Amino acid sequence: MSIQWFPGHMNAAKREAAEQMENIDLVIEVLDARLPEASCNPLVEELRKFRQRPCLKVLNKIDLADPNATAAWKAYYDAQEGVTAYPMTTKKPADVARIPDLALSLAPHRGVPTKPLRIMIMGIPNVGKSTLMNALLKKRVAKVGDEPAVTKTQQRLYLNKNVVLVDTPGMLWPKIAMASDGLMLAASHAIGTNALVEEEVAEYLGELLLVRYPQLLTARYGFKTEGMDGVAVIEGVAQRRGFRVRGGDFDYEKAAHTLLQDYRQGALGRISLETPESRAASLARHEAEVAEKARIAAEKAAAKAEEAARGKRGT
């Protein structure tokens, strides 16, 4: 299943971000700590690297993520040039309070009245960017909500006389290359419900949990996971919760929604959908698939050309 979602306002947001980047000193990219690379917008990387801007990657929602995976992601990002990772949660004011100092450490030539530090805050929809903005400024300046793409316009605000913040709408990118990324984003509620089939997303989540966190499924729903697949997980949720439709069949739709909500709200436990190692393996599989498709296409093109040549020769 390939999920794509790029509402019209995101095109405008991309153009505005590109225009502003020249006048920005630092990018704060807010990522979902449960899926840091899947929630990392390649457009952000492209824009900031073109202008050679440092980046503070905020790994938000660590209260929902596997702490071991989060530690691995911090090491992964800290090893990159011009990047510092900061695992945190906007639920803790002390975590938020550290951000200005971390930002100044990445742009030490700024942060004085004559040269205020200009920061652009970027991230995908529903990752907590607006909540972070409000927490930094200690007032409600950005709309927040448990739906993707709440913020639709850019705004410029002063954290203090030495720090300027530019808030941008949540942006995805025009084409999500790996199907697994789209499914992880959908499971984590970063994609509008009009672009997905919830039951298929829940089946993917169930498969992933069977591999990485089967014990959490057992603890939450009380069933044994041996021999299960994603469909069986949802049916198990329906059975344990008594979700049935008229006639006695499982209410598959309600059970799928419940599984997704339990993951999103942390009711299943602290879960990370990817690690640096699993990400590398996914990329390798994707590259192999792309290469195989290219090989098949080349063979078909060659066969078609040979057939055309034989026709011209009359053989």
Side-chain angles (χ1 to χ4, degrees), residues 26-27 29 48 54-59 74 77-87 102 105-106:
L26 169 72
V27 172
E29 185 179 14
R48 75 168 190 85
C55 184
L56 178 63
K57 288 187 182 282
V58 169
L59 306 181
K74 176 170 172 50
Y77 287 122
D78 284 347
Q80 297 177 7
E81 186 177 356
V83 175
T84 294
Y86 178 44
L102 287 169
S105 71
L106 286 168

Side-chain angles (χ1 to χ4, degrees), residues 55 91 119 126 190 202 260 298 312:
C55 184
K91 295 177 183 177
I119 301 172
N126 211 27
L260 289 171
K312 288 181 180 180

Side-chain angles (χ1 to χ4, degrees), residues 278-298:
S278 71
R279 183 70 185 181
S282 295
L283 285 171
R285 284 194 300 271
H286 175 68
E287 290 170 1
E289 290 168 3
V290 170
E292 178 63 10
K293 287 179 181 177
R295 183 189 66 78
I296 292 171

Side-chain angles (χ1 to χ4, degrees), residues 19 21 28 33 46 85 92 105 111 114 117 148 156 160 175 182 217 225 246 254 281 298 315:
E19 291 167 2
M21 190 64 69
I28 291 180
E46 177 186 323
K92 291 186 177 180
S105 71
T114 55
L117 176 62
R156 187 182 182 92
N160 54 52
K175 181 172 176 56
L217 287 171
T225 60
R246 185 175 296 177
K254 187 174 182 179
T315 59

Side-chain angles (χ1 to χ4, degrees), residues 33-96:
R34 298 168 296 178
L35 53 153
E37 277 296 279
S39 62
C40 181
N41 189 335
L43 296 176
V44 174
E45 292 290 285
E46 177 186 323
L47 290 173
R48 75 168 190 85
K49 286 182 176 179
F50 178 73
R51 294 293 179 183
Q52 297 182 320
R53 300 299 187 254
C55 184
L56 178 63
K57 288 187 182 282
V58 169
L59 306 181
N60 192 28
K61 304 184 182 182
I62 59 167
D63 53 314
L64 301 176
D66 183 330
N68 293 326
T70 298
W73 281 115
K74 176 170 172 50
Y76 173 83
Y77 287 122
D78 284 347
Q80 297 177 7
E81 186 177 356
V83 175
T84 294
Y86 178 44
M88 60 158 287
T89 171
T90 52
K91 295 177 183 177
K92 291 186 177 180
D95 284 3
V96 176

Side-chain angles (χ1 to χ4, degrees), residues 114-183:
T114 55
K115 289 184 178 180
L117 176 62
R118 300 162 300 180
I119 301 172
M120 182 178 285
I121 300 183
M122 307 181 79
I124 66 168
N126 211 27
V127 77
K129 185 173 57 60
S130 294
T131 302
L132 175 62
M133 191 82 169
N134 292 340
L136 280 168
L137 292 158
K138 298 180 181 177
K139 59 183 178 179
R140 188 183 178 90
V141 296
K143 292 181 181 179
V144 298
D146 188 27
E147 286 294 332
V150 172
T151 303
K152 291 184 170 63
T153 58
Q154 192 179 97
Q155 52 182 339
R156 187 182 182 92
L157 301 152
Y158 283 82
L159 180 60
N160 54 52
K161 64 181 181 180
N162 300 329
V163 180
V164 181
L165 301 177
V166 177
D167 186 26
T168 60
M171 285 196 307
L172 284 171
W173 48 105
K175 181 172 176 56
I176 299 171
M178 293 201 299
S180 58
D181 282 357
L183 289 161

